Amino acid sequence: MKGKHQGVQAHILRENSRAFFTPCACHNLNLVLGDMAKSSSQAVTFLGVLQRIYVIFAASPGRWKILEDAVPYNTAKSLSDTRWECRLQSVKALRYQMSEIREALFTVADESRDPMVKTEAESLANFEVGNFEFILATIIWYDILFAVNTVSKSLQSADMQLDVAIQQIKGLVTYLTKYRDTGFHSAMITAKEIASEMDVEQVFKQKRNRRKKRQFDYESTDERTSSGEHVFRTEYFLCIMEQAIMAMNIQFEQLKQYETLFGFLYNINTMRQLNDEDLLKCCMDLDIALRSESSRDLDGADLCSELKIFREILPEGVKSAMQCLQYLWSSRDSFPNTAIAYRILLTVPVTVASAERSFSKLKLVKNYLRSTMSQDRLCGLAILSIEKDIASNLEYEDLINEFSTRKARKVDFINKH
């Protein structure tokens, strides 16, 4: 939630000026893909074709049976504005089974008696799926979506740490940069192979330039582009790739600030390479960031003194921030500022996947068999389901005895009579 002026972030910062705003990394990846899809009119058209393919098959059980018979592994998926993984599945079905889906469209056109369905199926088979530009766009989008989805799933793991997330985001930006330089050529090779198997003409559409009215006689006329391939590469491929790289740098700017602030604590090898002056500067910057008018979380000078000793006594196998805190926990009284710094670092969240998993768990707990349930019972069952590792180690006999003791009647009617 980016409401830094009047939103949730502003209200929290008024209560505690030291609070960190951390955007969800997975939602930011979805925003990046959304910006890519809107950066080019051809990209919007491509995603619209995917939805049209799904609609024409999903509108009838008979047509869906035709699709299942032709495509046994991956079927078309409906598009979603928030869950981009469904788009990967839809593009994957086309990427590896484009010929089969095209034949399924021809079958629908031949067997359908509805003129609108027949026209739509023929149009998709001949002018969309049977178009070389569409084949090339499918390969490009699959490569991009697969890379982003791989990083997104890794970021949703329960033990994801901030330093690992930043490293993976940097790796994704590097991949997109390399793909911008070399991906078009490799995608062209694959697209030509698929087009040859489908007997599709390997040509690009030659777009006619609009003739603009000249206001003055000395204005030159618009130059015609060299080829349709050049237009596709510049106005489609490079457009979405530049938008992706730029959006990645903007959306994950906050993580870069965390790297500047906590970067010297991520890896013990990096900390050992710092001289005393640089280490003191890093500690004082962290002290200032965690300080307010009334209180402070740690002392920068003391933190620097502790880290000078701490980095020398750590075993060779300890490298990550989590391992440092685990090793430090037994002697946290000797290194109080270091323990606080690592606890704050490891508390900064990367995604909201854990919170969303808790909401998903409620759907499993409260089903149609438990339609009438009190709020206390729902919360209790949800906690037992979420914390199943702790619940499995509980002694049920002790719980039953304690429950029976609390629910037992306080009045002894026999003695009273």
Side-chain angles (χ1 to χ4, degrees):
M1 292 173 276
K2 289 189 176 182
K4 59 182 179 180
H5 299 295
Q6 295 181 350
V8 176
Q9 183 183 169
H11 288 288
I12 294 176
L13 290 176
R14 279 196 291 268
E15 297 294 331
N16 184 5
S17 60
R18 295 173 293 174
F20 289 133
F21 165 70
T22 308
C24 177
C26 294
H27 286 82
N28 276 3
L29 286 177
N30 283 341
L31 294 177
V32 169
L33 293 174
D35 294 339
M36 288 175 57
K38 298 175 184 177
S39 62
S40 172
S41 59
Q42 291 175 291
V44 176
T45 303
F46 173 79
L47 296 175
V49 172
L50 294 182
Q51 184 66 15
R52 287 169 58 193
I53 293 174
Y54 170 78
V55 169
I56 194 171
F57 287 113
S60 169
R63 289 179 233 154
W64 192 260
K65 184 66 168 59
I66 294 174
L67 179 65
E68 288 183 338
D69 294 339
V71 184
Y73 302 108
N74 298 305
T75 58
K77 303 291 183 181
S78 178
L79 302 187
S80 173
D81 293 333
T82 56
R83 297 185 61 84
W84 277 80
E85 186 175 359
C86 68
R87 302 179 184 239
L88 171 63
Q89 298 300 324
S90 184
V91 174
K92 183 179 181 180
L94 277 169
R95 166 64 177 83
Y96 293 104
Q97 302 167 126
M98 190 169 298
S99 178
E100 290 81 356
I101 291 179
R102 191 187 185 198
E103 292 299 328
L105 289 171
F106 279 130
T107 304
V108 170
D110 294 337
E111 297 182 0
S112 177
R113 297 181 180 180
D114 190 339
M116 295 184 63
V117 175
K118 185 179 184 65
T119 304
E120 176 72 3
E122 290 180 349
S123 175
L124 289 172
N126 291 319
F127 303 108
E128 303 297 347
V129 182
N131 184 8
F132 182 71
E133 291 187 5
F134 182 84
I135 297 174
L136 180 58
T138 302
I139 297 169
I140 293 172
W141 272 104
Y142 176 76
D143 293 340
I144 296 173
L145 290 175
F146 185 83
V148 174
N149 188 66
T150 302
V151 176
S152 178
K153 283 187 174 181
S154 178
L155 294 176
Q156 296 176 37
S157 60
D159 57 348
M160 177 55 59
Q161 299 178 28
L162 190 62
D163 56 336
V164 180
I166 293 175
Q167 183 180 1
Q168 295 197 4
I169 293 298
K170 286 183 176 180
L172 180 59
V173 174
T174 303
Y175 170 81
L176 293 176
T177 304
K178 292 181 179 179
Y179 192 80
R180 177 193 59 186
D181 300 332
T182 61
F184 185 78
H185 178 68
S186 61
M188 278 284 293
I189 296 174
T190 307
K192 289 180 179 180
E193 295 176 356
I194 297 176
S196 299
E197 296 175 359
M198 296 174 57
D199 196 17
V200 173
E201 190 177 3
Q202 303 174 15
V203 294
F204 290 87
K205 295 179 181 179
Q206 186 68 37
K207 294 185 178 180
R208 181 173 59 88
N209 291 338
R210 288 186 178 181
R211 181 174 296 179
K212 297 181 181 179
K213 184 178 179 181
R214 292 183 296 170
Q215 301 295 331
F216 304 97
D217 295 336
Y218 59 81
E219 290 184 358
S220 62
T221 58
D222 296 334
E223 296 182 359
R224 186 178 297 274
T225 54
S226 58
S227 63
E229 179 181 345
H230 177 75
V231 173
F232 185 90
R233 184 175 183 274
T234 55
E235 296 185 4
Y236 187 11
F237 176 74
L238 292 180
C239 182
I240 62 176
M241 295 308 302
E242 292 292 344
Q243 179 63 39
I245 297 172
M246 181 181 66
M248 287 286 292
N249 294 327
I250 294 175
Q251 294 292 342
F252 293 97
E253 184 178 357
Q254 187 66 40
L255 292 181
K256 294 180 181 179
Q257 296 180 8
Y258 289 147
E259 183 182 20
T260 303
L261 191 61
F262 294 101
F264 69 104
L265 295 174
Y266 287 160
N267 195 311
I268 191 62
N269 293 329
T270 304
M271 188 191 307
R272 285 169 177 165
Q273 295 174 0
L274 293 175
N275 55 39
D276 294 345
E277 294 181 0
D278 294 337
L279 182 61
L280 178 60
K281 182 180 182 303
C282 294
C283 294
M284 295 307 298
D285 292 340
L286 182 61
D287 182 9
I288 294 173
L290 300 176
R291 183 189 304 177
S292 63
E293 297 179 357
S294 58
S295 61
R296 59 198 299 189
D297 288 333
L298 52 82
D299 185 272
D302 292 344
L303 176 62
C304 180
S305 301
E306 293 177 9
L307 288 178
K308 290 179 183 179
I309 305 173
F310 182 67
R311 65 184 180 181
E312 300 298 334
I313 65 174
L314 276 176
E316 292 295 332
V318 177
K319 295 182 179 180
S320 65
M322 180 62 73
Q323 291 174 341
C324 289
L325 183 61
Q326 291 174 350
Y327 179 82
L328 182 68
W329 195 247
S330 59
S331 58
R332 59 186 180 275
D333 295 335
S334 302
F335 302 93
N337 293 278
T338 306
I340 292 174
Y342 274 108
R343 287 166 60 190
I344 294 176
L345 166 62
L346 296 172
T347 305
V348 175
V350 177
T351 68
V352 297
S354 297
E356 292 188 353
R357 276 193 289 266
S358 299
F359 287 109
S360 300
K361 184 69 71 172
L362 291 177
K363 294 181 181 179
L364 301 177
V365 173
K366 189 175 182 180
N367 52 28
Y368 72 97
L369 296 175
R370 292 170 172 169
S371 58
T372 57
M373 185 187 305
S374 63
Q375 187 69 24
D376 293 338
R377 178 176 173 80
L378 176 62
C379 293
L381 291 175
I383 292 174
L384 288 175
S385 181
I386 295 171
E387 304 295 344
K388 60 181 180 180
D389 295 335
I390 300 177
S392 61
N393 295 326
L394 296 176
E395 294 293 338
Y396 291 104
E397 294 183 359
D398 297 339
L399 293 175
I400 293 173
N401 293 332
E402 184 178 356
F403 179 81
S404 61
T405 302
R406 292 185 179 184
K407 294 297 182 178
R409 295 190 176 186
K410 303 299 181 181
V411 181
D412 190 350
F413 292 100
I414 298 177
N415 295 334
K416 184 176 180 180
H417 291 292

